[in-house]
Amino acid sequence: MDNPIWGSDWPQVRGCWTLDPEVTFLNHGSFGATPRCVLELQSRLRAEMERQPVLFLDRALRARLDASLALVGRLLGTEAKKLAFVPNATYAINSVVKSLDFESGDELLILEHGYGAIIKTLQCVADRSGARLVRVPTVFPVESPDEIAAPVIAALNERTRFVVIDQITSPTAMIVPVKLIVDACRERGILCLVDGAHVPGMLPTDLDSVAPDFWTGNLHKWVCAPKGAAVLYVRPELRNRVAPVVTSHNFGMKFPEEFFWTGTDDPTAWICAGAAIEFMASLGWPRVHAHNHALVRYGRRAVAEMIGGTLPVPDSPEFYAAMAVIELPESVKFAGIEQAREFQGRLYEQFRIEVPMMVIDNRSFIRISAQVYNAPQDYERLGEALRAMIG
Ligand SMILES: Cc1ncc(COP(=O)(O)O)c(C=O)c1O
């Protein structure tokens, strides 16, 4: 592969993960894998917790969470005091939207290509309050970033109360120019939450300059922290308006204090988030970003050429970072998501390749991911397997 950043140390980097060597893992986007050194730290922390649970979960916990959160803040371009740990992006978004009051006639807005669980969350809140959920059609394929933002901005009106905007869409893996939408909402006095589930570790981020009202990002995806680590950012002016979905001891202490304790749980993933950031930073974040983009770019072209697929997203880092979709040829048109999942299962059973299939607007896609443990051969293997399956 003609790739100047594919240095000789990358095979060693792959060895830092505990992934099954029999499996070609191309789905970091759904569930990121965690490096061995971070898993070992988590095991040590759990052992320590079980030796003296009260010391670990009570007296010693907060300092450890603060230290980890400081590293998260630095990665995301904001101060730790504007952030709270949460178990995942779904929890963060539920906490925000269920803290706000809506009434009949209000509109909540999300992209048609928004994440399924979050669309359901907004639908649930809309149903309870009599508000209306508006799903804005996403232009796809697109030719310019403005084409993604324009329909959202055009849908804002005097009834719009709350907007959720994905920063990287899950089904199409596209980067959304969220700043344009955040600013348009601010001008109109509409609250806006940016769903950056895939952003930490995938895109360089400067939250303080984007200054969304609310923002969430998973740390258990591209930062490679253990499962159950994510953050919620709240603009300081709004800190009195948001509480966790679960009420516990810190009730009334406002954001972020209320989020620090929502009942007994295992906090080791949160403590390990800082260590995961340090591990990835030791590889060099710019190098990680460049590597992952170059690799997914190679992968999408290689797979598309091998199977006669097409690339609906322009070839530019403005549009995609470390995930990409390839439209499958006509011969593998899925009737629906069930058939897509069946095909995905067969690909895994026969070839031990883990990669998701997507059905978007009645069209069929495959979504590939590239993380530092992946190599060009992974995508070549995928192309060959698909060719064998679809003939
Ligand atoms: C855009 C988006 N939002 C939210 C989520 C939910 O993440 P979690 O399951 O960690 O809450 C995902 C998961 O992939 C996602 O892609």
Side-chain angles (χ1 to χ4, degrees):
M1 180 192 179
D2 179 21
N3 178 357
I5 59 148
W6 191 255
S8 57
D9 57 337
W10 288 107
Q12 266 167 273
V13 171
R14 277 206 296 285
C16 296
W17 267 261
T18 63
L19 285 160
D20 184 346
E22 302 295 314
V23 174
T24 302
F25 194 72
L26 294 174
N27 194 3
H28 196 93
S30 288
F31 301 112
T34 303
R36 180 179 288 109
C37 63
V38 179
L39 294 174
E40 286 170 355
L41 171 65
Q42 188 175 35
S43 295
R44 287 197 302 277
L45 288 166
R46 284 179 169 152
E48 193 185 321
M49 178 163 66
E50 298 312 325
R51 274 173 66 84
Q52 219 295 35
V54 174
L55 176 63
F56 190 94
L57 286 169
D58 188 356
R59 292 192 290 280
L61 182 59
R62 184 56 186 266
R64 279 179 152 155
L65 294 181
D66 284 345
S68 184
L69 207 50
L71 292 169
V72 177
R74 202 172 314 152
L75 176 74
L76 300 177
T78 191
E79 296 158 281
K81 66 180 183 196
K82 299 179 195 164
L83 297 171
F85 277 122
V86 284
N88 50 57
T90 308
Y91 184 102
I93 297 171
N94 268 267
S95 295
V96 172
V97 72
K98 289 175 181 168
S99 295
L100 302 171
D101 292 321
F102 301 105
E103 52 191 49
S104 175
D106 289 349
E107 286 184 2
L108 316 181
L109 199 139
I110 192 165
L111 281 179
E112 186 67 42
H113 291 172
Y115 189 68
I118 306 308
I119 293 174
K120 288 179 182 172
T121 301
L122 293 192
Q123 188 67 63
C124 162
V125 169
D127 289 348
R128 281 188 199 166
S129 60
R132 192 166 83 90
L133 177 61
V134 177
R135 294 172 62 172
V136 180
T138 322
V139 178
F140 189 71
V142 278
E143 278 166 15
S144 86
D146 288 352
E147 275 183 318
I148 311 173
V152 179
I153 295 171
L156 303 175
N157 63 62
E158 66 283 356
R159 292 179 300 280
T160 316
R161 294 283 169 273
F162 186 67
V163 173
V164 173
I165 187 75
D166 298 49
Q167 197 166 352
I168 296 175
T169 57
S170 173
T172 57
M174 259 183 352
I175 299 172
V176 175
V178 290
K179 178 74 178 145
L180 293 175
I181 296 165
V182 166
D183 289 349
C185 288
R186 182 81 34 85
E187 278 165 25
R188 294 161 176 79
I190 298 167
L191 292 174
C192 179
L193 180 147
V194 176
D195 178 355
H198 286 279
V199 170
M202 188 177 337
L203 288 183
T205 307
D206 187 356
L207 271 184
D208 280 343
S209 66
V210 180
D213 295 317
F214 315 101
W215 183 94
T216 184
N218 278 328
L219 303 167
H220 53 217
K221 286 191 191 286
W222 297 87
V223 159
C224 301
K227 310 295 169 285
V231 281
L232 170 64
Y233 161 100
V234 174
R235 200 157 60 84
E237 293 83 342
L238 297 167
R239 63 183 286 272
N240 293 345
R241 308 241 340 238
V242 178
V245 272
V246 174
T247 305
S248 186
H249 288 305
N250 293 1
F251 173 66
M253 291 172 73
K254 308 300 179 200
F255 183 89
E257 288 308 315
E258 281 191 56
F259 284 80
F260 275 101
W261 190 265
T262 56
T264 306
D265 207 339
D266 178 351
T268 55
W270 295 355
I271 301 172
C272 287
I277 290 171
E278 281 181 326
F279 173 78
M280 296 299 284
S282 75
L283 304 175
W285 278 117
R287 193 162 167 255
V288 167
H289 294 146
H291 169 273
N292 291 351
H293 181 72
L295 192 54
V296 86
R297 179 169 184 256
Y298 169 79
R300 69 175 211 149
R301 212 171 32 198
V303 172
E305 274 169 18
M306 287 171 89
I307 65 169
T310 49
L311 300 173
V313 175
D315 187 16
S316 155
E318 213 181 355
F319 289 98
Y320 69 97
M323 294 194 297
V325 287
I326 302 141
E327 182 158 11
L328 296 166
E330 274 298 311
S331 54
V332 265
K333 204 164 171 19
F334 303 126
I337 194 64
E338 294 309 319
Q339 215 179 65
R341 288 182 70 87
E342 187 272 327
F343 187 89
Q344 181 175 333
R346 238 170 347 111
L347 179 67
Y348 183 73
E349 287 309 316
Q350 289 178 20
F351 298 96
R352 287 286 178 265
I353 299 175
E354 191 61 75
V355 70
M357 305 291 154
M358 306 282 171
V359 179
I360 310 162
D361 308 334
N362 294 321
R363 291 158 57 192
S364 307
F365 298 85
I366 183 164
R367 189 188 75 189
I368 55 172
S369 293
Q371 185 49 287
V372 293
Y373 53 72
N374 288 120
Q377 306 85 272
D378 293 340
Y379 306 90
E380 291 154 14
R381 211 171 293 135
L382 171 63
E384 276 159 23
L386 287 172
R387 212 158 43 186
M389 281 177 78
I390 64 188

